[in-house]
Amino acid sequence: MERFDVIVLGAGAAGLMAALTAGQRGRRVLLLDHADRPGKKILISGGGRCNFTNIHCAPDRFLSSNRHFAKSALGRYTAQDFLDLVERHRIAWHEKTLGQLFCDGSSRQIVDMLVDECARGDVDIRCEHRVATIEKIDDFQITTQRGIFVAPSLVIATGGPSIPKMGATGFGYDVARQFGLKVVEPRPALVPLTLAGDDMVFRGLSGIAVDSITRCNGASFREASLFTHRGLSGPAILQISSYWRHGDAIVMDILPDRDAAALLLDIKRARPRVQIHTVLGELLPDRLADLIRAPLGLKGELANIPDKALRAAGERLNGWRFVPNGSEGFAKAEVTVGGVDTAGLSSQTMEARKVPGLYFIGEAVDVTGWLGGYNFQWAWASGVAAGQAI
């Protein structure tokens, strides 16, 4: 049996951050993970370049049953704070669209940076440890296949079930329930959506991306939408998937910034003899233009198409309605919506209100960010909050 001040379960983004923060405050920290090395999910992020934060990070870009919960941690450890750490390690970076910050090189640089910072705090990192039991008498006792470890503080940073091929599970939720905390129903987020029925016709557009404004349940995103052989993907769809629930419609404006009805009527007046397929081909990718003419009920010259039909077509182009039959699930989800109910946690410290010494951070908690570095920033911020409190 080995004793520590703090045991952190999960050597991902949040767990590494909590461990290094506590370690550098003089705590004796043990960081355990079932994987063969730390930071495996970080390594695959951002196409291997790690979208490590977003300069536009703000609490309104996170989903939670309590929309105020993330404010404290995000306010005390900002995107600039993490960027300062990146720059101290001389990691070159660049900004892509919408405030997304990426490494110029490899995601490995971020993992190495976090491991180096853990070393500065004398954090004991042990991989390939699978937790068999967690008990609490006076302190927490963690039993793995390699030993028994005891500490007065336990941090759960095991994430959610998204990307199970990386070893992700709902382990953190089981721990929460064991100690009497509630769990908000977890579901896949930042995930491609699938189509069925009449919408299956759009499989013929596989590989085509369009600039769009995509809306669902009061949320809207202006980014690319991608048609796939199974349905819809691309940044706009991944974003809106976090707000979508089964049975909900998604509305896609595939001619953003244009009043499509007025545009079609203006073209009719200016070029009455032009064929509708020619006009649509000027406005949209060819395959998309060809495919949507039939459901819009349009053919022939504009002069022969009633204004009412053109208005209806324009309204459809500015508000195409889909009802996905599902998503590609946790296997393709980048993150999880839902998790440990924030009502049972302190927003200042991430500690369970009714279980002193027990903390939940990162994706395990019911806080989910937008696509584009927001979930990493929550991992850093919640990890620091717990690490400073222990």
Side-chain angles (χ1 to χ4, degrees):
M1 183 180 294
E2 296 183 69
R3 291 189 174 274
F4 296 85
D5 297 323
V6 182
I7 297 172
V8 180
L9 299 184
L16 285 162
M17 203 69 180
L20 70 88
T21 302
Q24 290 178 18
R25 294 179 59 244
R27 305 298 186 263
R28 186 166 182 241
V29 181
L30 172 65
L31 177 57
L32 297 177
D33 200 286
H34 68 273
D36 59 356
R37 60 187 186 277
K40 290 189 76 171
K41 198 169 178 181
I42 299 173
L43 292 174
I44 66 168
S45 66
R49 292 195 173 182
C50 190
N51 178 192
F52 55 81
T53 193
N54 193 296
I55 60 174
H56 301 311
C57 193
D60 64 356
R61 301 185 174 202
F62 292 82
L63 292 79
S64 175
S65 296
N66 178 357
R67 61 189 180 90
H68 300 293
F69 182 83
K71 289 180 178 179
S72 177
L74 292 171
R76 287 180 289 129
Y77 191 83
T78 67
Q80 186 60 53
D81 290 324
F82 191 79
L83 183 57
D84 290 343
L85 178 62
V86 167
E87 292 186 331
R88 284 201 299 275
H89 282 257
R90 298 182 179 180
I91 297 173
W93 59 274
H94 61 278
E95 179 183 348
K96 292 184 75 173
T97 58
L98 304 174
Q100 302 168 35
L101 304 189
F102 287 77
C103 297
D104 285 358
S106 164
S107 301
R108 167 60 63 185
Q109 295 172 286
I110 298 296
V111 176
D112 290 345
M113 175 189 77
L114 296 170
V115 171
D116 287 348
E117 290 289 322
C118 281
R120 284 186 56 212
D122 293 322
V123 174
D124 188 343
I125 301 177
R126 303 191 195 183
C127 294
E128 297 183 298
H129 277 254
R130 294 191 175 274
V131 175
T133 61
I134 299 175
E135 299 175 272
K136 187 179 192 298
I137 304 173
D138 293 323
D139 293 339
F140 292 94
Q141 180 173 298
I142 312 301
T143 302
T144 78
Q145 86 280 22
R146 296 191 174 194
I148 300 174
F149 310 97
V150 177
S153 295
L154 174 64
V155 181
I156 306 299
T158 52
S162 59
I163 318 184
K165 70 179 181 181
M166 300 294 295
T169 69
F171 174 85
Y173 310 150
D174 296 336
V175 176
R177 295 186 185 102
Q178 176 184 340
F179 288 97
L181 280 76
K182 294 181 179 179
V183 175
V184 176
E185 178 192 4
R187 53 192 175 86
L190 302 184
V191 63
L193 299 174
T194 57
L195 299 174
D198 292 343
D199 292 330
M200 292 272 286
V201 66
F202 288 95
R203 285 187 178 181
L205 301 175
S206 181
I208 289 179
V210 292
D211 181 27
S212 69
I213 298 174
T214 305
R215 300 181 175 89
C216 183
N217 289 328
S220 66
F221 295 93
R222 169 75 180 268
E223 292 190 71
S225 292
L226 174 69
F227 294 93
T228 73
H229 69 287
R230 296 194 64 189
L232 298 167
S233 187
I237 298 299
L238 297 182
Q239 293 278 38
I240 212 68
S241 71
S242 298
Y243 295 83
W244 176 83
R245 286 184 176 272
H246 192 77
D248 291 340
I250 287 176
V251 179
M252 184 188 299
D253 180 351
I254 58 177
L255 283 178
D257 300 330
R258 302 189 191 188
D259 181 334
L263 178 62
L264 291 175
L265 292 172
D266 287 345
I267 294 173
K268 177 181 178 179
R269 286 190 288 269
R271 301 158 61 195
R273 296 303 175 191
V274 69
Q275 295 283 328
I276 184 61
H277 70 82
T278 302
V279 173
L280 292 176
E282 294 169 353
L283 299 174
L284 300 166
D286 289 342
R287 272 198 290 157
L288 178 56
D290 288 343
L291 194 63
I292 67 175
R293 276 191 302 111
L296 289 175
L298 303 176
K299 60 181 180 179
E301 297 177 350
L302 291 187
N304 296 325
I305 301 175
D307 287 358
K308 182 178 179 180
L310 289 176
R311 286 193 193 93
E315 290 170 2
R316 192 85 175 267
L317 293 172
N318 284 141
W320 204 281
R321 188 175 181 274
F322 302 91
V323 180
N325 71 326
S327 76
E328 295 196 20
F330 286 116
K332 295 294 179 68
E334 294 192 19
V335 292
T336 304
V337 164
V340 178
D341 193 339
T342 58
L345 305 176
S346 163
S347 63
Q348 298 287 318
T349 66
M350 306 293 127
E351 186 177 23
R353 296 184 185 280
K354 295 182 179 179
V355 189
L358 179 63
Y359 300 77
F360 290 86
I361 60 175
E363 190 183 343
V365 179
D366 176 30
V367 175
T368 305
W370 288 1
L371 182 72
Y374 294 97
N375 288 291
F376 271 128
Q377 187 57 38
W378 170 245
W380 315 137
S382 60
V384 168
Q388 289 177 338
I390 296 168

